Amino acid sequence: MLLTSFSFKSNVKKKLVDPVLQKNMKRFGGRFVIARAEVMKEVDNLEDIRVAAAAIRDGILANLDSYLITFEERAQARGTTVHWAETAQDVNRILIEIAKANGVRKIVKSKSMVSEESGLNDAVAAADMQVIETDLGEYILQLADEPPSHIIAPAIHKNVEEVAELFSKHHHTPRQTNIPALCREAREQLRPHFISADMGISGGNFLIAETGSVVIVTNEGNGRMVTTLPKIHVAITGIEKVLPTLNDLSTILRLLPRSATGQSITNYVSMLTGPKGADDVDGPEQSHIILVDSGRSRLLGTELQRALRCIRCGACMNHCPVYQNIGGHAYGWVYPGPIGAVLTPSYVGLKNALDLPQASTLCGACEVVCPVKIPLPELMRVLREQSFEQRLRPWSERFSIGVWRTMANHPRVYARFAQVAARLLHLMGGKKGLLHWLPGLDGWTDGRDMPAPTGKTFRELYAKRKS
Amino acid sequence: MRVGLFVTCLVDLMRPRIGFATLKLLQNSGCEVVVPEGQTCCGQPGFNSGDRESGRLLAQRFLKDFESFDYVVIPSGSCTGMIRHHYAQLFPADPALQKRINALSARTYELTQFLHTVLHIQNLHSSFKGNITYHDSCSGLRELGIKLQPRQLIGQVAGAQLREMEKPETCCGFGGAFSIKLGDIASRMADNKCQDVQASGADAIVGGDLGCLLNIEGRLRRMGDESTQVLHVAEVLVGPEALADLGED
């Protein structure tokens, strides 16, 4: 996916004044938030499950190499070919090699965020093969030629009118805005592709080490078509997605759908274990898994390792007041919201996404809902520390922090400075006590007045009263 | 009981009245209150900008200034959260210092927490005319669990009617340096908050953190709302008569 995280601030400016996006984000607003809160009432020991889930994920990350090797052995024993992709480019290369070796012309694809990291669709198209997204949201975005803006609801930034427009234009059908009818229309378009495709690509929510299975958690049913109808199935997923056992999966599954869409369980939970067996009536003849590193292993053993616990539910972005106001595209890469503010700089380089760890008030709403207890504000702060230490932030910011630090550590100087500032700003505030503009603080005063100080500092008044 | 008052840098510079209201509330409850002179700031602006060193310097300063008190009280959930949750982490290689910090932070309270949970205040002898809506500042709410305490205390203020706004727990967009670095987003978040405040029909928006209050007031006034009062919870709890006595000259 084309990276624009380095221009986060200008992306934000555009998104905040985009009336359609703003309307769509308001409409989306609290839907997932309310649904999650409602469905969590079913779980009487939520905190215990979160603790258990975090411990499961931490245990895997501490021994990721051995779990991956076990997974590879078990998957191979069931007839799956396991491929290792060190970089995003390797993902595209491996996939195209498999396709070329089998004369693949047409590929159907169910949702895979990992494939967005490498821009797989464009690479496949450049290799003269047709790829069709079959997740409804992703299908809409493929028609619109746009990237996803949310990890589980990729087209959340679009409204029904926009979808109606796209369908009518691309399907050459009469424009309709009835949602069930639009779904039927998409189904009618997609069905022939499922039947005629030579290859199906899916993501993988989890890899089960003890069985060598790939687990996909979906709602629309397209995932099952993609993974069973074509002769070749390729699952693409990150190396961090391993779970030791099916038992662990059951713990995580109590949290994932509830945290994500506010469902007790999704419509489909598919366990894909190798190609079609001798006695099976259907299933793919070839089963492949591409395990993607692409920056993940760099986080192991660092403070940021905890970000790899992520099970991609999207709750952090759903609850983030920054995400709610700017939408996912502003973040400029595959993963938006708080988890994106941590993963994007980690995967594409801090200097390419310098503003993302700053794009949070550290309000903590994300951490409270994270099913695997990722301390997202703390991790954003870790990245802020790295930016500061590597001198990546603007000199003016580093300079002001330096001056402030020295003064704050010298109370007399500090008191004197505060005294002068309080007076000066008080005078500037005039009768109403409001500053409409302040040099260097236009980030504040562009959208808000700055209430002026009342004239004297507490310290000054207190000393006077005591004497 | 000897209480050290940490005034906070924002109250010192912008609204000394809040500091005096806090002082008065504590004295009214029989505390002996001392305001150590060496205090400046809790260190959060530097710490959240990635400068751990400033956090360490100011944590040590805080320890030096306040270690001798029975309790430390702060009219801010955000500064209290910094001390309680982040100070000790700043010294991973010094367990002895961590131990001292932990012991002090366990005695460090946000104002409403202290009045409610430590002093068990039941009668405030304060009054307010009008409807109040309470904004739950993020650090107070999520790091310290402050939710019921200020509401219970406001409930003791004669004439004060609590009217909850929609989403009182949603961040107002302040976030310290965030409010300047990413001012566009901060202003939009403040705008959403102000609309919720106005829709609640409250005469006053009250909160426990001056940073949030300045952000909300700044947006309200820019929107042309000059009537909604913006008050720190200490100002409401101490009452109008005491507040008039506090003066600022």
Side-chain angles (χ1 to χ4, degrees), chain A residues 13 16 358 363 381 384 408-409 445 447-449 452 454 459 465, chain B residues 15 39-40 48 51 61 142 179 181 184 188 215 219 222 246 248:
Chain A
K13 273 198 196 304
L16 284 175
Q358 311 282 340
C363 79
R381 204 182 284 111
R384 292 179 186 191
N409 202 32
T445 50
R448 290 150 292 175
D449 289 335
T454 40
R459 196 188 298 268
R465 273 173 211 200
Chain B
R15 295 285 181 272
Q39 60 177 293
T40 54
N48 282 347
D51 178 28
R61 171 165 294 284
R142 299 192 184 89
S179 63
K181 282 186 204 167
D184 295 332
R188 180 62 58 84
N215 186 42
R219 184 60 204 168
R222 181 62 62 90
L246 297 176
E248 277 177 28

PDB file of all heavy atoms in Angstrom, chain A residues 13 16 358 363 381 384 408-409 445 447-449 452 454 459 465, chain B residues 15 39-40 48 51 61 142 179 181 184 188 215 219 222 246 248:
ATOM      1  N   LYS A  13      -5.552  17.581   7.744  1.00  0.00           N
ATOM      2  CA  LYS A  13      -6.204  18.839   7.355  1.00  0.00           C
ATOM      3  C   LYS A  13      -7.289  18.580   6.319  1.00  0.00           C
ATOM      4  O   LYS A  13      -8.389  19.113   6.405  1.00  0.00           O
ATOM      5  CB  LYS A  13      -5.173  19.816   6.790  1.00  0.00           C
ATOM      6  CG  LYS A  13      -4.506  20.652   7.869  1.00  0.00           C
ATOM      7  CD  LYS A  13      -3.836  21.893   7.258  1.00  0.00           C
ATOM      8  CE  LYS A  13      -2.852  22.533   8.215  1.00  0.00           C
ATOM      9  NZ  LYS A  13      -3.384  22.904   9.523  1.00  0.00           N
ATOM     10  N   LEU A  16     -10.350  16.502   7.853  1.00  0.00           N
ATOM     11  CA  LEU A  16     -11.219  17.229   8.794  1.00  0.00           C
ATOM     12  C   LEU A  16     -12.230  18.121   8.083  1.00  0.00           C
ATOM     13  O   LEU A  16     -13.246  18.494   8.662  1.00  0.00           O
ATOM     14  CB  LEU A  16     -10.365  18.063   9.766  1.00  0.00           C
ATOM     15  CG  LEU A  16      -9.661  17.303  10.893  1.00  0.00           C
ATOM     16  CD1 LEU A  16      -8.757  18.230  11.682  1.00  0.00           C
ATOM     17  CD2 LEU A  16     -10.658  16.631  11.830  1.00  0.00           C
ATOM     18  N   GLN A 358       2.699  10.660  17.832  1.00  0.00           N
ATOM     19  CA  GLN A 358       2.278  11.918  18.471  1.00  0.00           C
ATOM     20  C   GLN A 358       0.764  12.112  18.341  1.00  0.00           C
ATOM     21  O   GLN A 358       0.197  12.987  18.983  1.00  0.00           O
ATOM     22  CB  GLN A 358       2.961  13.125  17.801  1.00  0.00           C
ATOM     23  CG  GLN A 358       4.464  12.990  17.626  1.00  0.00           C
ATOM     24  CD  GLN A 358       5.250  13.255  18.903  1.00  0.00           C
ATOM     25  OE1 GLN A 358       4.738  13.880  19.828  1.00  0.00           O
ATOM     26  NE2 GLN A 358       6.476  12.771  18.963  1.00  0.00           N
ATOM     27  N   CYS A 363      -5.082   9.309  25.881  1.00  0.00           N
ATOM     28  CA  CYS A 363      -6.276   9.306  26.737  1.00  0.00           C
ATOM     29  C   CYS A 363      -6.522   7.931  27.344  1.00  0.00           C
ATOM     30  O   CYS A 363      -7.215   7.802  28.344  1.00  0.00           O
ATOM     31  CB  CYS A 363      -7.512   9.780  25.983  1.00  0.00           C
ATOM     32  SG  CYS A 363      -8.288   8.565  24.905  1.00  0.00           S
ATOM     33  N   ARG A 381       4.506   6.252  23.627  1.00  0.00           N
ATOM     34  CA  ARG A 381       5.498   7.049  24.336  1.00  0.00           C
ATOM     35  C   ARG A 381       6.907   6.510  24.073  1.00  0.00           C
ATOM     36  O   ARG A 381       7.846   7.282  23.916  1.00  0.00           O
ATOM     37  CB  ARG A 381       5.176   7.074  25.828  1.00  0.00           C
ATOM     38  CG  ARG A 381       5.778   8.297  26.525  1.00  0.00           C
ATOM     39  CD  ARG A 381       5.502   8.309  28.004  1.00  0.00           C
ATOM     40  NE  ARG A 381       4.159   8.692  28.370  1.00  0.00           N
ATOM     41  CZ  ARG A 381       3.260   7.874  28.901  1.00  0.00           C
ATOM     42  NH1 ARG A 381       3.555   6.615  29.133  1.00  0.00           N
ATOM     43  NH2 ARG A 381       2.066   8.312  29.217  1.00  0.00           N
ATOM     44  N   ARG A 384       7.898   7.910  20.938  1.00  0.00           N
ATOM     45  CA  ARG A 384       8.213   9.338  21.102  1.00  0.00           C
ATOM     46  C   ARG A 384       9.620   9.487  21.667  1.00  0.00           C
ATOM     47  O   ARG A 384      10.369  10.376  21.265  1.00  0.00           O
ATOM     48  CB  ARG A 384       7.201  10.010  22.033  1.00  0.00           C
ATOM     49  CG  ARG A 384       5.804  10.101  21.442  1.00  0.00           C
ATOM     50  CD  ARG A 384       4.840  10.755  22.406  1.00  0.00           C
ATOM     51  NE  ARG A 384       3.477  10.712  21.901  1.00  0.00           N
ATOM     52  CZ  ARG A 384       2.458  11.391  22.421  1.00  0.00           C
ATOM     53  NH1 ARG A 384       2.641  12.153  23.489  1.00  0.00           N
ATOM     54  NH2 ARG A 384       1.254  11.300  21.896  1.00  0.00           N
ATOM     55  N   ALA A 408      12.417  24.207  34.720  1.00  0.00           N
ATOM     56  CA  ALA A 408      11.594  23.478  35.686  1.00  0.00           C
ATOM     57  C   ALA A 408      12.458  22.885  36.784  1.00  0.00           C
ATOM     58  O   ALA A 408      11.983  22.611  37.886  1.00  0.00           O
ATOM     59  CB  ALA A 408      10.795  22.386  34.984  1.00  0.00           C
ATOM     60  N   ASN A 409      13.731  22.692  36.495  1.00  0.00           N
ATOM     61  CA  ASN A 409      14.621  22.135  37.504  1.00  0.00           C
ATOM     62  C   ASN A 409      15.322  23.232  38.321  1.00  0.00           C
ATOM     63  O   ASN A 409      16.146  22.932  39.163  1.00  0.00           O
ATOM     64  CB  ASN A 409      15.624  21.202  36.828  1.00  0.00           C
ATOM     65  CG  ASN A 409      16.197  20.197  37.810  1.00  0.00           C
ATOM     66  OD1 ASN A 409      15.505  19.779  38.744  1.00  0.00           O
ATOM     67  ND2 ASN A 409      17.454  19.834  37.623  1.00  0.00           N
ATOM     68  N   THR A 445      -4.238  28.401  18.880  1.00  0.00           N
ATOM     69  CA  THR A 445      -5.135  29.551  18.678  1.00  0.00           C
ATOM     70  C   THR A 445      -5.849  29.559  17.321  1.00  0.00           C
ATOM     71  O   THR A 445      -6.780  30.320  17.133  1.00  0.00           O
ATOM     72  CB  THR A 445      -4.378  30.880  18.874  1.00  0.00           C
ATOM     73  OG1 THR A 445      -3.180  30.859  18.099  1.00  0.00           O
ATOM     74  CG2 THR A 445      -4.023  31.088  20.338  1.00  0.00           C
ATOM     75  N   GLY A 447      -7.819  27.300  16.332  1.00  0.00           N
ATOM     76  CA  GLY A 447      -9.170  26.767  16.519  1.00  0.00           C
ATOM     77  C   GLY A 447      -9.799  27.113  17.863  1.00  0.00           C
ATOM     78  O   GLY A 447     -10.971  26.829  18.102  1.00  0.00           O
ATOM     79  N   ARG A 448      -8.991  27.668  18.770  1.00  0.00           N
ATOM     80  CA  ARG A 448      -9.499  27.965  20.111  1.00  0.00           C
ATOM     81  C   ARG A 448      -8.878  29.266  20.608  1.00  0.00           C
ATOM     82  O   ARG A 448      -7.764  29.609  20.226  1.00  0.00           O
ATOM     83  CB  ARG A 448      -9.083  26.857  21.103  1.00  0.00           C
ATOM     84  CG  ARG A 448      -9.758  25.542  20.915  1.00  0.00           C
ATOM     85  CD  ARG A 448      -8.853  24.402  21.344  1.00  0.00           C
ATOM     86  NE  ARG A 448      -7.703  24.276  20.447  1.00  0.00           N
ATOM     87  CZ  ARG A 448      -6.696  23.446  20.622  1.00  0.00           C
ATOM     88  NH1 ARG A 448      -6.660  22.670  21.669  1.00  0.00           N
ATOM     89  NH2 ARG A 448      -5.689  23.386  19.756  1.00  0.00           N
ATOM     90  N   ASP A 449      -9.585  29.953  21.492  1.00  0.00           N
ATOM     91  CA  ASP A 449      -8.950  31.048  22.213  1.00  0.00           C
ATOM     92  C   ASP A 449      -8.113  30.426  23.319  1.00  0.00           C
ATOM     93  O   ASP A 449      -8.361  29.288  23.719  1.00  0.00           O
ATOM     94  CB  ASP A 449     -10.007  31.962  22.849  1.00  0.00           C
ATOM     95  CG  ASP A 449     -10.749  32.765  21.785  1.00  0.00           C
ATOM     96  OD1 ASP A 449     -10.168  32.989  20.704  1.00  0.00           O
ATOM     97  OD2 ASP A 449     -11.917  33.145  22.027  1.00  0.00           O
ATOM     98  N   ALA A 452      -6.592  33.657  29.230  1.00  0.00           N
ATOM     99  CA  ALA A 452      -5.381  34.318  29.737  1.00  0.00           C
ATOM    100  C   ALA A 452      -5.204  34.048  31.223  1.00  0.00           C
ATOM    101  O   ALA A 452      -6.176  33.814  31.945  1.00  0.00           O
ATOM    102  CB  ALA A 452      -5.477  35.812  29.485  1.00  0.00           C
ATOM    103  N   THR A 454      -4.603  35.001  35.180  1.00  0.00           N
ATOM    104  CA  THR A 454      -5.281  36.087  35.905  1.00  0.00           C
ATOM    105  C   THR A 454      -4.318  37.160  36.403  1.00  0.00           C
ATOM    106  O   THR A 454      -4.717  38.090  37.077  1.00  0.00           O
ATOM    107  CB  THR A 454      -6.123  35.519  37.070  1.00  0.00           C
ATOM    108  OG1 THR A 454      -5.385  34.473  37.682  1.00  0.00           O
ATOM    109  CG2 THR A 454      -7.439  34.991  36.583  1.00  0.00           C
ATOM    110  N   ARG A 459       2.297  31.106  43.430  1.00  0.00           N
ATOM    111  CA  ARG A 459       3.488  31.199  44.269  1.00  0.00           C
ATOM    112  C   ARG A 459       3.673  32.607  44.834  1.00  0.00           C
ATOM    113  O   ARG A 459       3.933  32.796  46.007  1.00  0.00           O
ATOM    114  CB  ARG A 459       4.665  30.850  43.364  1.00  0.00           C
ATOM    115  CG  ARG A 459       5.945  30.502  44.025  1.00  0.00           C
ATOM    116  CD  ARG A 459       6.995  30.405  42.943  1.00  0.00           C
ATOM    117  NE  ARG A 459       6.679  29.351  41.975  1.00  0.00           N
ATOM    118  CZ  ARG A 459       7.124  28.103  42.106  1.00  0.00           C
ATOM    119  NH1 ARG A 459       7.874  27.769  43.115  1.00  0.00           N
ATOM    120  NH2 ARG A 459       6.821  27.199  41.201  1.00  0.00           N
ATOM    121  N   ARG A 465       0.737  36.367  51.047  1.00  0.00           N
ATOM    122  CA  ARG A 465      -0.221  36.093  52.119  1.00  0.00           C
ATOM    123  C   ARG A 465       0.421  35.555  53.371  1.00  0.00           C
ATOM    124  O   ARG A 465      -0.044  35.794  54.474  1.00  0.00           O
ATOM    125  CB  ARG A 465      -1.257  35.080  51.635  1.00  0.00           C
ATOM    126  CG  ARG A 465      -2.369  35.785  50.951  1.00  0.00           C
ATOM    127  CD  ARG A 465      -3.288  34.826  50.321  1.00  0.00           C
ATOM    128  NE  ARG A 465      -3.834  35.467  49.139  1.00  0.00           N
ATOM    129  CZ  ARG A 465      -4.939  35.084  48.544  1.00  0.00           C
ATOM    130  NH1 ARG A 465      -5.568  34.031  48.984  1.00  0.00           N
ATOM    131  NH2 ARG A 465      -5.380  35.729  47.509  1.00  0.00           N
TER     132      ARG A 465
ATOM    133  N   ARG B  15      -4.356  29.920  36.872  1.00  0.00           N
ATOM    134  CA  ARG B  15      -5.527  30.075  37.750  1.00  0.00           C
ATOM    135  C   ARG B  15      -5.160  29.821  39.210  1.00  0.00           C
ATOM    136  O   ARG B  15      -5.555  28.800  39.791  1.00  0.00           O
ATOM    137  CB  ARG B  15      -6.625  29.089  37.334  1.00  0.00           C
ATOM    138  CG  ARG B  15      -7.243  29.302  35.966  1.00  0.00           C
ATOM    139  CD  ARG B  15      -8.191  30.488  35.959  1.00  0.00           C
ATOM    140  NE  ARG B  15      -8.786  30.677  34.653  1.00  0.00           N
ATOM    141  CZ  ARG B  15      -8.251  31.409  33.677  1.00  0.00           C
ATOM    142  NH1 ARG B  15      -7.082  32.014  33.859  1.00  0.00           N
ATOM    143  NH2 ARG B  15      -8.868  31.539  32.518  1.00  0.00           N
ATOM    144  N   GLN B  39       8.731  23.313  44.338  1.00  0.00           N
ATOM    145  CA  GLN B  39       7.952  22.625  43.308  1.00  0.00           C
ATOM    146  C   GLN B  39       7.808  23.457  42.032  1.00  0.00           C
ATOM    147  O   GLN B  39       7.714  24.678  42.094  1.00  0.00           O
ATOM    148  CB  GLN B  39       6.571  22.277  43.845  1.00  0.00           C
ATOM    149  CG  GLN B  39       5.745  23.470  44.287  1.00  0.00           C
ATOM    150  CD  GLN B  39       4.370  23.020  44.742  1.00  0.00           C
ATOM    151  OE1 GLN B  39       3.570  22.547  43.954  1.00  0.00           O
ATOM    152  NE2 GLN B  39       4.106  23.160  46.039  1.00  0.00           N
ATOM    153  N   THR B  40       7.797  22.787  40.897  1.00  0.00           N
ATOM    154  CA  THR B  40       7.549  23.472  39.621  1.00  0.00           C
ATOM    155  C   THR B  40       6.486  22.722  38.824  1.00  0.00           C
ATOM    156  O   THR B  40       5.354  23.174  38.722  1.00  0.00           O
ATOM    157  CB  THR B  40       8.840  23.606  38.784  1.00  0.00           C
ATOM    158  OG1 THR B  40       9.431  22.324  38.612  1.00  0.00           O
ATOM    159  CG2 THR B  40       9.829  24.538  39.455  1.00  0.00           C
ATOM    160  N   ASN B  48       6.012  13.045  28.166  1.00  0.00           N
ATOM    161  CA  ASN B  48       5.146  12.641  27.063  1.00  0.00           C
ATOM    162  C   ASN B  48       5.662  13.084  25.703  1.00  0.00           C
ATOM    163  O   ASN B  48       5.160  12.652  24.670  1.00  0.00           O
ATOM    164  CB  ASN B  48       3.722  13.169  27.269  1.00  0.00           C
ATOM    165  CG  ASN B  48       2.952  12.321  28.276  1.00  0.00           C
ATOM    166  OD1 ASN B  48       3.390  11.229  28.617  1.00  0.00           O
ATOM    167  ND2 ASN B  48       1.830  12.836  28.731  1.00  0.00           N
ATOM    168  N   ASP B  51      11.107  12.908  26.299  1.00  0.00           N
ATOM    169  CA  ASP B  51      12.307  13.277  27.043  1.00  0.00           C
ATOM    170  C   ASP B  51      12.232  12.694  28.454  1.00  0.00           C
ATOM    171  O   ASP B  51      11.751  13.330  29.384  1.00  0.00           O
ATOM    172  CB  ASP B  51      12.430  14.814  27.093  1.00  0.00           C
ATOM    173  CG  ASP B  51      13.645  15.272  27.901  1.00  0.00           C
ATOM    174  OD1 ASP B  51      14.629  14.520  27.958  1.00  0.00           O
ATOM    175  OD2 ASP B  51      13.599  16.380  28.467  1.00  0.00           O
ATOM    176  N   ARG B  61      12.993  15.715  42.141  1.00  0.00           N
ATOM    177  CA  ARG B  61      12.652  16.977  42.813  1.00  0.00           C
ATOM    178  C   ARG B  61      11.384  16.796  43.662  1.00  0.00           C
ATOM    179  O   ARG B  61      11.311  17.224  44.803  1.00  0.00           O
ATOM    180  CB  ARG B  61      12.445  18.058  41.735  1.00  0.00           C
ATOM    181  CG  ARG B  61      11.877  19.371  42.233  1.00  0.00           C
ATOM    182  CD  ARG B  61      12.060  20.463  41.203  1.00  0.00           C
ATOM    183  NE  ARG B  61      13.469  20.760  41.012  1.00  0.00           N
ATOM    184  CZ  ARG B  61      14.209  21.466  41.861  1.00  0.00           C
ATOM    185  NH1 ARG B  61      13.675  21.964  42.953  1.00  0.00           N
ATOM    186  NH2 ARG B  61      15.477  21.681  41.616  1.00  0.00           N
ATOM    187  N   ARG B 142      -8.984   7.001  33.920  1.00  0.00           N
ATOM    188  CA  ARG B 142      -8.452   5.693  33.525  1.00  0.00           C
ATOM    189  C   ARG B 142      -7.220   5.263  34.309  1.00  0.00           C
ATOM    190  O   ARG B 142      -6.958   4.070  34.431  1.00  0.00           O
ATOM    191  CB  ARG B 142      -8.167   5.666  32.019  1.00  0.00           C
ATOM    192  CG  ARG B 142      -9.434   5.910  31.225  1.00  0.00           C
ATOM    193  CD  ARG B 142      -9.337   5.622  29.751  1.00  0.00           C
ATOM    194  NE  ARG B 142     -10.611   5.996  29.132  1.00  0.00           N
ATOM    195  CZ  ARG B 142     -10.864   7.208  28.670  1.00  0.00           C
ATOM    196  NH1 ARG B 142      -9.929   8.137  28.680  1.00  0.00           N
ATOM    197  NH2 ARG B 142     -12.047   7.487  28.150  1.00  0.00           N
ATOM    198  N   SER B 179      -2.213  19.324  22.046  1.00  0.00           N
ATOM    199  CA  SER B 179      -3.168  20.392  21.738  1.00  0.00           C
ATOM    200  C   SER B 179      -2.539  21.477  20.868  1.00  0.00           C
ATOM    201  O   SER B 179      -3.256  22.279  20.264  1.00  0.00           O
ATOM    202  CB  SER B 179      -3.696  21.006  23.035  1.00  0.00           C
ATOM    203  OG  SER B 179      -2.629  21.608  23.739  1.00  0.00           O
ATOM    204  N   LYS B 181       0.698  20.628  18.924  1.00  0.00           N
ATOM    205  CA  LYS B 181       1.320  19.907  17.805  1.00  0.00           C
ATOM    206  C   LYS B 181       0.285  19.476  16.774  1.00  0.00           C
ATOM    207  O   LYS B 181       0.530  19.519  15.582  1.00  0.00           O
ATOM    208  CB  LYS B 181       2.012  18.638  18.322  1.00  0.00           C
ATOM    209  CG  LYS B 181       3.343  18.873  18.989  1.00  0.00           C
ATOM    210  CD  LYS B 181       3.967  17.522  19.322  1.00  0.00           C
ATOM    211  CE  LYS B 181       4.948  17.658  20.458  1.00  0.00           C
ATOM    212  NZ  LYS B 181       5.357  16.364  21.014  1.00  0.00           N
ATOM    213  N   ASP B 184      -5.269  20.960  14.954  1.00  0.00           N
ATOM    214  CA  ASP B 184      -6.497  20.781  14.160  1.00  0.00           C
ATOM    215  C   ASP B 184      -7.384  19.691  14.758  1.00  0.00           C
ATOM    216  O   ASP B 184      -8.594  19.857  14.879  1.00  0.00           O
ATOM    217  CB  ASP B 184      -6.156  20.360  12.722  1.00  0.00           C
ATOM    218  CG  ASP B 184      -5.405  21.438  11.980  1.00  0.00           C
ATOM    219  OD1 ASP B 184      -5.595  22.616  12.321  1.00  0.00           O
ATOM    220  OD2 ASP B 184      -4.632  21.096  11.063  1.00  0.00           O
ATOM    221  N   ARG B 188     -10.990  20.008  16.939  1.00  0.00           N
ATOM    222  CA  ARG B 188     -12.201  19.272  16.570  1.00  0.00           C
ATOM    223  C   ARG B 188     -12.724  18.463  17.754  1.00  0.00           C
ATOM    224  O   ARG B 188     -13.934  18.407  18.016  1.00  0.00           O
ATOM    225  CB  ARG B 188     -11.901  18.361  15.367  1.00  0.00           C
ATOM    226  CG  ARG B 188     -13.087  17.535  14.896  1.00  0.00           C
ATOM    227  CD  ARG B 188     -14.260  18.397  14.413  1.00  0.00           C
ATOM    228  NE  ARG B 188     -13.883  19.288  13.327  1.00  0.00           N
ATOM    229  CZ  ARG B 188     -13.844  18.963  12.043  1.00  0.00           C
ATOM    230  NH1 ARG B 188     -14.147  17.738  11.669  1.00  0.00           N
ATOM    231  NH2 ARG B 188     -13.508  19.847  11.127  1.00  0.00           N
ATOM    232  N   ASN B 215      -8.757  24.084  27.548  1.00  0.00           N
ATOM    233  CA  ASN B 215      -9.058  23.640  26.186  1.00  0.00           C
ATOM    234  C   ASN B 215     -10.548  23.809  25.880  1.00  0.00           C
ATOM    235  O   ASN B 215     -10.929  24.349  24.842  1.00  0.00           O
ATOM    236  CB  ASN B 215      -8.639  22.167  26.062  1.00  0.00           C
ATOM    237  CG  ASN B 215      -8.755  21.629  24.648  1.00  0.00           C
ATOM    238  OD1 ASN B 215      -8.389  22.316  23.684  1.00  0.00           O
ATOM    239  ND2 ASN B 215      -9.249  20.424  24.511  1.00  0.00           N
ATOM    240  N   ARG B 219     -12.354  26.724  23.415  1.00  0.00           N
ATOM    241  CA  ARG B 219     -13.210  26.401  22.271  1.00  0.00           C
ATOM    242  C   ARG B 219     -14.609  27.011  22.437  1.00  0.00           C
ATOM    243  O   ARG B 219     -15.177  27.540  21.480  1.00  0.00           O
ATOM    244  CB  ARG B 219     -13.291  24.874  22.100  1.00  0.00           C
ATOM    245  CG  ARG B 219     -14.076  24.417  20.881  1.00  0.00           C
ATOM    246  CD  ARG B 219     -13.496  24.924  19.581  1.00  0.00           C
ATOM    247  NE  ARG B 219     -14.522  24.959  18.534  1.00  0.00           N
ATOM    248  CZ  ARG B 219     -14.377  25.561  17.360  1.00  0.00           C
ATOM    249  NH1 ARG B 219     -13.247  26.171  17.049  1.00  0.00           N
ATOM    250  NH2 ARG B 219     -15.359  25.542  16.485  1.00  0.00           N
ATOM    251  N   ARG B 222     -14.366  30.639  21.572  1.00  0.00           N
ATOM    252  CA  ARG B 222     -14.179  30.817  20.123  1.00  0.00           C
ATOM    253  C   ARG B 222     -15.479  30.552  19.360  1.00  0.00           C
ATOM    254  O   ARG B 222     -15.757  31.179  18.342  1.00  0.00           O
ATOM    255  CB  ARG B 222     -13.062  29.893  19.628  1.00  0.00           C
ATOM    256  CG  ARG B 222     -12.740  29.991  18.144  1.00  0.00           C
ATOM    257  CD  ARG B 222     -12.239  31.349  17.706  1.00  0.00           C
ATOM    258  NE  ARG B 222     -11.005  31.812  18.303  1.00  0.00           N
ATOM    259  CZ  ARG B 222      -9.782  31.595  17.804  1.00  0.00           C
ATOM    260  NH1 ARG B 222      -9.625  30.910  16.700  1.00  0.00           N
ATOM    261  NH2 ARG B 222      -8.713  32.066  18.421  1.00  0.00           N
ATOM    262  N   LEU B 246     -10.963  34.528  48.595  1.00  0.00           N
ATOM    263  CA  LEU B 246      -9.641  34.142  48.130  1.00  0.00           C
ATOM    264  C   LEU B 246      -9.002  35.229  47.283  1.00  0.00           C
ATOM    265  O   LEU B 246      -7.806  35.435  47.311  1.00  0.00           O
ATOM    266  CB  LEU B 246      -9.709  32.842  47.322  1.00  0.00           C
ATOM    267  CG  LEU B 246     -10.190  31.621  48.087  1.00  0.00           C
ATOM    268  CD1 LEU B 246     -10.295  30.433  47.158  1.00  0.00           C
ATOM    269  CD2 LEU B 246      -9.266  31.288  49.245  1.00  0.00           C
ATOM    270  N   GLU B 248      -7.624  37.595  44.157  1.00  0.00           N
ATOM    271  CA  GLU B 248      -6.404  37.240  43.445  1.00  0.00           C
ATOM    272  C   GLU B 248      -5.408  38.382  43.448  1.00  0.00           C
ATOM    273  O   GLU B 248      -4.504  38.438  42.648  1.00  0.00           O
ATOM    274  CB  GLU B 248      -6.734  36.738  42.047  1.00  0.00           C
ATOM    275  CG  GLU B 248      -7.110  35.261  42.119  1.00  0.00           C
ATOM    276  CD  GLU B 248      -7.528  34.663  40.829  1.00  0.00           C
ATOM    277  OE1 GLU B 248      -7.071  35.131  39.781  1.00  0.00           O
ATOM    278  OE2 GLU B 248      -8.328  33.724  40.861  1.00  0.00           O
TER     279      GLU B 248
END
